[in-house]
């Protein structure tokens, strides 16, 4: 007897992106690329070109964002949400490779890693590097240059 097919994948219940409209999913994907989300980078780079996307104040109120110590409007995605949302840049892409070796030795486990950066992430990383260069943040600039390369 054939097993009935599920209407949805239960793993999707934990995917934070599925709760949002497409424009907000793209915004969250962009937010997952930065270590700290604050209004300047949000307005200048992350939300740019996303008409109808949620404002910073609404984003900061989401349960998977957390306030950082210091200036009032510095937030970040919680690590678990950030990792899952960042991984979504490769969603639907077969451009992945499976690795079983670490330092030339067989690790005994299968790990799927991105083999190429998606073009939209590459473009965003370049814009972020330019933004952080102008903002005088060489560490974030270097990070985004590394992602782009």
């Amino acid at each position: 007897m054939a097993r009935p097919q599920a209407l949805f994948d239960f793993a999707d219940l934990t995917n934070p992106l599925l709760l949002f409209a497409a424009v907000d999913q793209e915004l969250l994907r962009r937010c997952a690329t930065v270590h700290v989300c604050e209004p300047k980078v949000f307005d200048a780079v992350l939300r740019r070109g996303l008409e109808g996307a949620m404002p910073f104040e609404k984003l900061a109120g989401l349960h998977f964002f957390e306030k950082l110590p210091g200036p009032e409007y510095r937030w970040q995605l919680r690590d678990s949400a950030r990792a899952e949302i960042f991984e979504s840049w490769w969603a639907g892409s077969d451009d992945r490779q499976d690795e079983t070796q670490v330092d030339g030795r067989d690790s005994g486990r299968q790990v799927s890693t991105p083999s190429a950066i998606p073009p939209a992430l590459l473009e965003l990383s370049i814009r972020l590097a330019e933004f952080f260069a102008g903002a005088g943040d060489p560490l974030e600039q270097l990070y985004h240059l590394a992602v782009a390369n």
Side-chain angles (χ1 to χ4, degrees), residues 76-105:
Q76 71 179 9
L77 277 164
R78 295 185 189 276
D79 288 339
S80 59
R82 183 174 188 254
E84 186 167 356
I85 293 171
F86 189 78
E87 180 74 18
S88 73
W89 282 100
W90 286 268
S93 170
D94 291 332
D95 196 17
R96 302 188 67 73
Q97 64 187 18
D98 291 327
E99 294 182 356
T100 57
Q101 294 198 352
V102 176
D103 296 330
R105 298 183 311 258

Side-chain angles (χ1 to χ4, degrees), residues 24-85:
D24 290 327
Q25 289 180 19
E26 177 62 22
L27 177 63
L28 290 167
R29 216 178 333 277
R30 292 178 182 189
C31 290
T33 64
V34 295
H35 293 102
V36 175
C37 189
E38 54 189 2
K40 288 180 184 176
V41 70
F42 182 82
D43 292 334
V45 181
L46 300 175
R47 193 169 184 262
R48 188 174 190 181
L50 295 178
E51 299 303 319
M54 70 179 87
F56 184 82
E57 293 74 22
K58 183 174 180 183
L59 180 85
L62 298 175
H63 73 278
F64 47 86
F65 266 82
E66 59 189 358
K67 186 178 182 320
L68 295 172
E72 184 176 337
Y73 288 103
R74 290 174 34 107
W75 296 79
Q76 71 179 9
L77 277 164
R78 295 185 189 276
D79 288 339
S80 59
R82 183 174 188 254
E84 186 167 356
I85 293 171

Side-chain angles (χ1 to χ4, degrees), residues 10 20 27 56 77 93 101 113 119 124 132 135 141:
F10 284 98
F20 299 95
L27 177 63
F56 184 82
L77 277 164
S93 170
Q101 294 198 352
T113 59
L124 177 62
F132 286 116
Q141 177 193 12

Side-chain angles (χ1 to χ4, degrees), residues 7-27:
L7 296 175
F8 60 91
D9 184 352
F10 284 98
D12 288 343
L13 293 175
T14 62
N15 183 342
L17 289 177
L18 296 179
L19 302 173
F20 299 95
V23 69
D24 290 327
Q25 289 180 19
E26 177 62 22
L27 177 63

